[in-house]
Amino acid sequence: MSTNTMGADIENKKNSGYKQDDKKKDDTNLYANINHNGWQAIHVGLEQDGVSIDGIHLWHASSDWESSHESVGLPHPAHPHESLKRFVIYTIKNTNIKFAMTELSNGVYGFYQHMQKTPADDTSYASVQY
């Protein structure tokens, strides 16, 4: 691709209203209907990316992860029709956050969150941010 063509492509994206944040919103909707026995697919991404639950950046809090030494069989979050994969179950110290994670391919991780109602409001669920 020539420099002129590449520059035109970038300019077209700017003019069409495309923003990087638009992709993040689309990713959230991608997993909206995937729920397996209380496990909600929340993210597929690279190690050290910006995935967070209830404002807690998961990778930054990795020293607070506590393994349950259990796993759960779940499909790839973006490909729920594929065979099950082994996701290790973790909690984060001093929180009610419970999630499952696996490495899907080299440096690419999938996350599920165990969806529990909060004591304060039994209709609210934890929020997920990217």
Side-chain angles (χ1 to χ4, degrees), residues 4-17:
N4 290 340
T5 306
M6 192 165 54
D9 185 48
I10 291 169
E11 193 60 35
N12 287 337
K13 284 183 179 178
K14 286 180 185 175
N15 293 335
S16 70

Side-chain angles (χ1 to χ4, degrees), residues 13 16-29:
K13 284 183 179 178
S16 70
Y18 175 86
K19 298 176 187 169
Q20 186 63 31
D21 288 343
D22 292 341
K23 181 180 181 322
K24 291 179 182 179
K25 291 175 189 167
D26 292 343
D27 287 348
T28 303
N29 293 332

Side-chain angles (χ1 to χ4, degrees), residues 13-121:
K13 284 183 179 178
K14 286 180 185 175
N15 293 335
S16 70
Y18 175 86
K19 298 176 187 169
Q20 186 63 31
D21 288 343
D22 292 341
K23 181 180 181 322
K24 291 179 182 179
K25 291 175 189 167
D26 292 343
D27 287 348
T28 303
N29 293 332
L30 176 66
Y31 311 119
N33 296 320
I34 303 172
N35 189 307
H36 300 276
N37 296 322
W39 290 99
Q40 177 72 41
I42 60 169
H43 185 66
V44 173
L46 300 175
E47 184 174 359
Q48 300 298 327
D49 66 5
V51 63
S52 65
I53 301 174
D54 285 344
I56 296 175
H57 187 286
L58 293 182
W59 292 111
H60 292 166
S62 62
S63 63
D64 291 327
W65 294 4
E66 294 180 329
S67 174
S68 67
H69 304 288
E70 296 178 3
S71 62
V72 61
L74 296 164
H76 187 299
H79 305 287
H81 60 280
E82 292 183 359
S83 61
L84 300 181
K85 302 186 181 324
R86 182 179 163 267
F87 283 72
V88 177
I89 300 171
Y90 296 92
T91 57
I92 298 178
K93 291 178 191 174
N94 303 317
T95 72
N96 292 326
I97 296 172
K98 182 177 180 181
F99 68 96
M101 182 200 65
T102 196
E103 188 169 16
L104 298 165
S105 63
N106 190 22
V108 177
Y109 293 84
F111 290 86
Y112 277 79
Q113 179 183 1
H114 193 260
M115 303 305 286
Q116 297 179 19
K117 295 179 181 180
T118 64
D121 178 4

